[in-house]
Amino acid sequence: MELNKETVDGVCVVSPEGRLDSNTSPAFEAELLALLDDSPTLVIRFADLEYISSAGLRVMLMAAKKVRQLNGQLVLCEIHEPIREVFEISGFLSILDVCDDRAVAVARARGED
Amino acid sequence: MRCSLDIGNELTEIPRLADEVEAFCERAGMEANTVNLALDEWITNLVSYAFDDGGEHRIGVELEADTEGLTVVVTDDGHSFHPLDDAPEVSLEGGVEDRAVGGLGLYFIRTLMDDIQYDSADGVNRLRLRRLKRK
């Protein structure tokens, strides 16, 4: 798995690419939590992710908990099938901040939407 | 259509298995992602918790496709763990602060599979999962 990063309107947008499973989640968790230490406002874009298991969702929940503690903002976007179904059955679509589009996600992370 | 596979008790075997399952499902004209997710969750649990001796073990994976769906049988020689009776309850209630980190893997298997059977005999545990074709 690769974690691609870009900055859009001052907001860090990270795009995991490939598979997020029990093999790749530990590295993803370490990198994501380190990014949140730098700045607790983050957009995660799922367009390039092919696969997610419960190990990947666990990292999402940990990140969301950390963002709450730090009073930051975490917005997830471009969650397509089949990944969307995994978020859906976990109940995560209703507890996490999720939107379709990267531009909307960035605006929301900046507190503009 | 049938296929027998055999993997070692290492997490790195899971993506390799996923490729094989995907190729099988493509030949059988079935969707692979759901079955791969259930297999991933089960095998991750086996590799992480079933083998106390730290040694090498083989995990068997048999796939069988018929006109109505796909059957997957996973065998291992670790200690037994019933995916329905032994699994802790998972609560989907509450917000980000309330939700427990973990426990979703077995919940996925229970939610996504249409039939789950498990038995242990003579030191071999056998999980049988069945996923019916969706209309």
Side-chain angles (χ1 to χ4, degrees), chain A residues 20-22 51-57 86, chain B residues 11 14 34-49 103-110 112 127 129:
Chain A
L20 198 44
D21 62 8
S22 48
Y51 174 85
I52 193 166
S53 73
S54 67
L57 285 189
V86 183
Chain B
L11 294 179
I14 292 172
T34 310
V35 160
N36 258 331
L37 180 61
L39 265 175
D40 175 348
E41 300 295 355
W42 184 248
I43 290 167
T44 293
N45 273 17
L46 288 180
V47 171
S48 307
Y49 308 116
L104 276 175
L106 291 165
Y107 171 78
F108 287 172
I109 298 174
R110 296 200 299 274
L112 296 171
L127 174 75
L129 303 173

Side-chain angles (χ1 to χ4, degrees), chain A residues 19-31:
Chain A
R19 289 173 58 90
L20 198 44
D21 62 8
S22 48
N23 283 292
T24 54
S25 289
F28 178 59
E29 176 183 332
E31 206 166 343

Side-chain angles (χ1 to χ4, degrees), chain A residues 5-13 43 45 102-103 106-107 109-110:
Chain A
K5 300 181 209 78
E6 60 187 328
T7 303
V8 181
D9 290 342
V11 174
C12 181
V13 178
V43 169
R45 178 177 162 269
R102 170 170 38 186
V106 168
R110 285 165 58 93

